[in-house]
Amino acid sequence: MTPSRVDRQRRLLRAAIAVLAAFAAVAMAAAPAQAQGAAAYTIEAEDVTGLVPGGTAPATLKFVNSGTAAPEHGIIVQFVSEYLVTTGDYANCGYKYCVFPDFAPEPGVVYELPADTPLTVSVDADFPGPMPMLNIVRFADLEAGAMDALDLNDAETELAFQVSEDQDVEEHATMVVTTAEHPYDIEAHDETVTGDAGGQAVMHLDYTNLGPADAIAYEHPTNAERHFMIAVQLPDGLKVASQGPGVPPGVWDIDYDNYCESFPEYQDPAPDPAIYGLERVDFLCFAPGILDPGETVSLAIDVVIAADAVTNDGAISILEQAQTWEEVPYENIGQTLPEYPVIEQEFANNTADLRLEVTGTAPGTGGGKLPETGGSLAAAGLAGAGAITAGAVLLALLRRRTLRNL
């Protein structure tokens, strides 16, 4: 974890206000009676590296009341993170929070947790790695009567802060937790579209997580979405059908969070096909970005058959979205591809054949199976060759907002 990485992670915290507000709402649901008081807190949380999925690591924490008064009814400490759990088996802790109702930290005094009773940070055993995540630490005053609404652990030991021997504290309220290596393997499926010439058919874009870890795409820093990107090179004579009124030209809506874009209808030029190891990109899907081990996602896309013979010059290629970013501009957090470790363990199976079988016609001469592109895909993922421009990503986000308001 380099200093620049940590700094950029913290800019992500300040920029993704809506996302963090949603996370905070989840945490606050566990402690609905919490209220702000006269105290203010400067927090120093130590980053964690190498967290083994399914295991735990100590969460080091110290703080100072930088306000002008001690809290009247004690304090609550919350940990806001999508996948991480920071807590301990203590009688005054619950899910992602601990309360200290009899603790009145004096202004200007630095407190810490004893080494023999630490908090711990953990993540599910199937979680992938190495993946950096933000763990936001929040201190606030307790309101009178707040303890009555809390669901606390059934334990004998209580967690307590003590005065620290080190009375220096550096503001660092965002703990960056990076998991240990635990890969997944996404596999694209071959597809044959069958139908009558001049008619409609269905194209299935399927992919499976072969594990062993969950396949979890990195969260996009501007819109908090997680996607696997499916790039499609359509075989000759196959076109994606329009979804009709209410959906802009060149757009295919899957659900609220996932969608596709057809080129050149959506924009021209299309994304760089070299990113995906294809000759061209005719159709690009922002597909579901979270799959359990063994889970398959299947996208059904209506297509129009404009050919009268078999063609087999199509292809499907899938990559985790961050592997398609060359750079997210500074105003959108400033993160670049090398800061997103590649978790996918095998790229040779990320490309599949896409064929068109026209009913009742003799086989034609297609382009044949595309050459294996595992090496070039891996290189694209590691080096960030090419890019979907930030403008295209922002256009996609604006397009989503437009659709949601229709």
Side-chain angles (χ1 to χ4, degrees):
M1 185 69 65
T2 64
S4 63
R5 172 66 175 176
V6 172
D7 291 342
R8 287 168 177 173
Q9 286 278 6
R10 290 172 193 150
R11 285 202 297 273
L12 173 57
L13 168 64
R14 293 192 290 269
I17 296 173
V19 179
L20 300 182
F23 290 166
V26 174
M28 289 294 287
Q34 177 192 344
Q36 296 291 339
Y41 301 97
T42 301
I43 305 160
E44 183 176 330
E46 201 170 288
D47 294 339
V48 176
T49 59
L51 174 62
V52 177
T56 62
T60 304
L61 186 67
K62 65 179 181 177
F63 77 98
V64 62
N65 176 358
S66 49
T68 58
E72 185 177 354
H73 304 290
I75 64 172
I76 182 169
V77 183
Q78 296 173 310
F79 303 91
V80 185
S81 183
E82 185 176 8
Y83 291 101
L84 297 168
V85 176
T86 306
T87 187
D89 189 19
Y90 303 109
N92 58 326
C93 294
Y95 181 71
K96 296 189 177 184
Y97 70 93
C98 294
V99 289
F100 305 84
D102 301 319
F103 181 40
E106 293 295 329
V109 178
V110 178
Y111 299 87
E112 65 182 4
L113 293 174
D116 59 345
T117 56
L119 283 167
T120 58
V121 58
S122 62
V123 73
D124 187 83
D126 289 332
F127 197 82
M131 179 177 281
M133 294 169 286
L134 299 178
N135 195 13
I136 305 153
V137 184
R138 304 174 68 227
F139 276 59
D141 295 356
L142 275 173
E143 188 179 72
M147 293 292 293
D148 297 337
L150 302 180
D151 184 14
L152 299 174
N153 297 331
D154 183 12
E156 296 181 358
T157 306
E158 285 200 356
L159 186 68
F161 282 97
Q162 64 183 18
V163 176
S164 176
E165 294 182 1
D166 181 4
Q167 286 295 298
D168 292 327
V169 62
E170 177 183 352
E171 185 172 3
H172 182 180
T174 305
M175 182 188 303
V176 182
V177 179
T178 305
T179 50
E181 183 175 348
H182 192 203
Y184 57 78
D185 182 14
I186 290 292
E187 178 184 52
H189 295 203
D190 290 341
E191 168 69 351
T192 298
V193 177
T194 303
D196 295 332
Q200 285 200 339
V202 177
M203 173 178 65
H204 292 94
L205 304 177
D206 297 354
Y207 59 102
T208 298
N209 175 23
L210 302 180
D214 290 335
I216 300 179
Y218 286 106
E219 183 179 88
H220 193 281
T222 64
N223 59 25
E225 294 180 354
R226 299 179 187 272
H227 291 294
F228 283 96
M229 307 298 294
I230 303 177
V232 180
Q233 178 179 308
L234 293 171
D236 290 342
L238 195 66
K239 297 187 179 298
V240 174
S242 170
Q243 284 185 302
V247 182
V251 171
W252 182 278
D253 238 1
I254 299 169
D255 55 34
Y256 187 82
D257 294 314
N258 304 289
Y259 54 95
C260 305
E261 298 162 354
S262 184
F263 305 98
E265 293 84 2
Y266 180 74
Q267 71 175 28
D268 192 12
D272 184 356
I275 297 172
Y276 302 94
L278 302 179
E279 295 177 6
R280 65 181 186 277
V281 174
D282 301 311
F283 195 61
L284 183 69
C285 292
F286 294 72
I290 303 176
L291 290 82
D292 294 334
E295 182 179 357
T296 295
V297 170
S298 181
L299 307 182
I301 310 297
D302 293 335
V303 289
V304 177
I305 300 174
D308 57 6
V310 171
T311 58
N312 63 348
D313 56 343
I316 301 165
S317 178
I318 184 167
L319 285 176
E320 193 272 314
Q321 187 178 10
Q323 293 169 291
T324 71
W325 301 335
E326 183 177 65
E327 182 176 359
V328 180
Y330 179 82
E331 59 269 24
N332 295 331
I333 314 310
Q335 296 181 342
T336 55
L337 182 64
E339 298 179 77
Y340 295 88
V342 175
I343 302 177
E344 171 100 14
Q345 66 175 339
E346 176 61 66
F347 286 95
N349 58 359
N350 284 50
T351 304
D353 290 332
L354 176 58
R355 297 181 174 88
L356 172 60
E357 191 79 39
V358 183
T359 305
T361 60
T365 55
K369 181 177 173 65
L370 291 176
E372 293 292 340
T373 55
S376 62
L377 285 171
L382 291 170
I388 297 177
T389 66
V393 172
L394 293 176
L395 281 173
L397 179 58
L398 292 172
R399 196 278 309 169
R400 298 295 297 162
R401 291 175 178 166
T402 300
L403 284 178
R404 292 168 187 170
N405 291 327
L406 288 175

